[in-house]
Amino acid sequence: MADPGMSVSPYWELTFDADGDVDGPERDRLPAQVTDRGVRDLVVFAHGWNNDRSGATALYRRFFAPVPRLAPKARIGYAGVIWPSMRFSDEPIPDFPRSVAAEEVQAVPRPALDKDTRRALLETFPGRATVLDRLARLLDERPAGTEGPAEFGRLVRLLLEPGGRRAVPDTDEDGEPAVFTGDPVAACEQFAEALAALRPDAGAAGFRLPNPWDGAKELLRQATYYQMKRRAGTVGERGLGPLLGRLAKAAPGVRVHLVGHSFGGRLVAFALRGLPDEVRTVKSVTLLQGAFSHYAFSARLPHAAGRSGALKDVQRRVDGPLVCCHSRFDTALGTIYPLASRLAGDDRSCAGNEIAAVLGPRWGALGHDGVQAVPGTARLDLAAALGGGLPASGCVNVDAAAVVRRGGAPTGAHSDIVHPELARLVLAAGRIS
């Protein structure tokens, strides 16, 4: 399927629903057309949180744009994964300027949940309109005392349990995130502290007790991320993985290269778990600011030797390297992620850059410090990786802070991924020239 605005060709889209079912015509079209078009290397990109198809395809268009110039003789095809995720309207789209609407939020009083965000929330949590209306009213009214934040937390939990399903965890440890099961007032206060510490003027106003309402919207945001985490794993394992198996049978000579941003990184990683055992056509995986546990690939957790990551050893399903880009400037993964990912039973309070130190490495994310507890993992900076230093296989951590560094609170540089250097890295990982 060609996209009229796409700057590279041939390009196909693969559209999945929340259960991992792929659009039938798109599924059937891909293997037939990659053969007809003489594609040798197929780059498959999965977005992170986006509201709609246009946001995802805009990301793909901008990221892929330099590839034909970087590898003019390669026979490359491009596939964009479209899956039902969500972006709050006040979050940046990768490498896009801050919108006029987002700027107006700071200048003109507006509802805490604007119409676009509310519509996206209804799509993410179907049948929960009454709950979402009450959440929106509470965010606007911010009633004094603790009863309001407590009700807000209870309603957020209702969003996450309509069908009783739980997310596939990144490790095989028991427990649900305390951000949803613990004291909602304390959770909102902790988010308020963390967000205050990320502001440019942090510390200028001196110490003050956190207002839980300053962190309540972040609690709701984390509920959507938890829902996206569920879907990313499902779409990868039940959808993209089996589809790649079909492609391998129909076009065995096509080399596949998986790329994922944020939760899209989780999606492509779980696709490896869904690959048929005999498939060896995936030649590289590149995770751009992956929003899942840095222990996901570990066979033995440092803090629990008898337990492992949910994706232990799946890097061996890649006939090439699994490259993990990380950046210390990604505050979404360096500050908010470890706080939200903490399991029930840990009630310590912390803020700002102290969060990672207080919670410890147990709750770290791949996109902040790379793959952890996997023996033999190579560690390179971006210059070394692009200079021929990438190993031929295994996990590779690439410090991408040289380019992944721009962005404001609360997400920091999490969406700053559209750079020619990262496109070159994808090509280098796949030995595409």
Side-chain angles (χ1 to χ4, degrees):
M1 174 180 178
D3 181 273
M6 187 57 62
S7 58
V8 294
S9 179
Y11 170 77
W12 297 272
E13 288 183 352
L14 300 170
T15 305
F16 296 88
D17 66 16
D19 295 320
D21 293 326
V22 64
D23 178 83
E26 292 178 353
R27 176 199 62 207
D28 297 336
R29 187 181 302 125
L30 178 65
Q33 293 189 356
V34 294
T35 301
D36 292 343
R37 299 294 293 270
V39 170
R40 171 62 172 162
D41 292 280
L42 180 67
V43 183
V44 181
F45 199 145
H47 63 80
W49 52 77
N50 283 279
N51 272 349
D52 52 30
R53 183 182 300 270
S54 64
T57 55
L59 167 62
Y60 301 151
R61 181 174 61 249
R62 294 169 72 89
F63 188 90
F64 287 143
V67 172
R69 173 179 53 82
L70 295 171
K73 297 182 180 180
R75 292 177 292 160
I76 304 175
Y78 309 85
V81 173
I82 308 296
W83 63 285
S85 65
M86 176 192 164
R87 178 183 62 86
F88 274 65
S89 63
D90 60 353
E91 292 174 339
I93 299 174
D95 201 46
F96 271 56
R98 191 170 175 84
S99 68
V100 173
E103 295 289 354
E104 289 176 350
V105 169
Q106 297 180 352
V108 180
R110 294 165 61 92
L113 299 180
D114 60 61
K115 63 179 182 180
D116 291 335
T117 298
R118 292 180 69 166
R119 181 172 61 249
L121 284 166
L122 281 170
E123 293 175 357
T124 302
F125 302 106
R128 316 301 282 184
T130 301
V131 174
L132 290 169
D133 286 345
R134 179 57 179 160
L135 286 169
R137 285 197 299 273
L138 286 169
L139 283 174
D140 288 336
E141 296 169 1
R142 297 165 67 102
T146 60
E147 290 185 6
E151 181 187 2
F152 188 89
R154 180 182 62 80
L155 293 171
V156 168
R157 283 196 293 270
L158 282 178
L159 292 178
L160 292 171
E161 297 299 333
R165 292 176 56 192
R166 291 179 54 189
V168 176
D170 291 341
T171 69
D172 65 3
E173 295 183 282
D174 298 325
E176 293 280 359
V179 69
F180 304 126
T181 61
D183 178 3
V185 179
C188 290
E189 288 175 344
Q190 290 178 1
F191 279 128
E193 289 182 81
L195 293 171
L198 292 174
R199 289 198 298 265
D201 60 348
F207 173 80
R208 67 182 181 89
L209 292 174
N211 183 336
W213 288 114
D214 293 339
K217 187 175 180 180
E218 186 60 35
L219 181 66
L220 177 58
R221 195 191 311 265
Q222 291 299 327
T224 70
Y225 293 172
Y226 190 63
Q227 186 81 328
M228 294 310 103
K229 177 180 179 178
R230 290 172 168 169
R231 290 184 182 174
T234 297
V235 172
E237 186 170 2
R238 301 181 187 175
L240 182 58
L243 184 147
L244 295 177
R246 290 170 58 97
L247 178 64
K249 288 183 178 181
V254 174
R255 306 168 75 246
V256 175
H257 311 277
L258 301 179
V259 184
H261 170 236
S262 188
F263 282 130
R266 193 174 196 268
L267 190 156
V268 300
F270 271 77
L272 298 174
R273 200 163 83 165
L275 278 178
D277 291 340
E278 70 279 4
V279 172
R280 299 293 292 171
T281 54
V282 177
K283 302 300 180 180
S284 68
V285 175
T286 305
L287 306 177
L288 303 172
Q289 303 311 113
F292 58 112
S293 173
H294 58 191
Y295 293 139
F297 299 102
S298 175
R300 181 189 294 261
L301 302 184
H303 54 275
R307 296 184 179 275
S308 63
L311 298 173
K312 73 171 183 177
D313 297 332
V314 300
Q315 67 272 17
R316 297 177 182 175
R317 308 297 311 280
V318 184
D319 190 24
L322 185 147
V323 178
C324 176
C325 293
H326 59 93
S327 172
R328 63 185 180 276
F329 297 109
D330 189 335
T331 52
L333 300 184
T335 300
I336 300 298
Y337 177 91
L339 178 59
S341 296
R342 186 185 57 189
L343 298 187
D346 186 344
D347 59 359
R348 289 173 291 180
S349 177
C350 43
N353 291 330
E354 298 175 358
I355 288 178
V358 174
L359 294 182
R362 184 172 177 179
W363 313 119
L366 284 160
H368 186 251
D369 58 5
V371 174
Q372 302 294 316
V374 176
T377 297
R379 300 184 180 278
L380 304 171
D381 61 19
L382 188 57
L386 295 177
L390 282 177
S393 62
C395 293
V396 187
N397 287 334
V398 174
D399 186 345
V403 295
V404 181
R405 58 190 303 119
R406 295 182 291 113
T411 60
H414 185 67
S415 295
D416 184 25
I417 62 165
V418 182
H419 297 281
E421 294 87 347
L422 297 183
R424 286 177 57 198
L425 184 65
V426 171
L427 297 175
R431 304 297 197 264
I432 305 172
S433 59

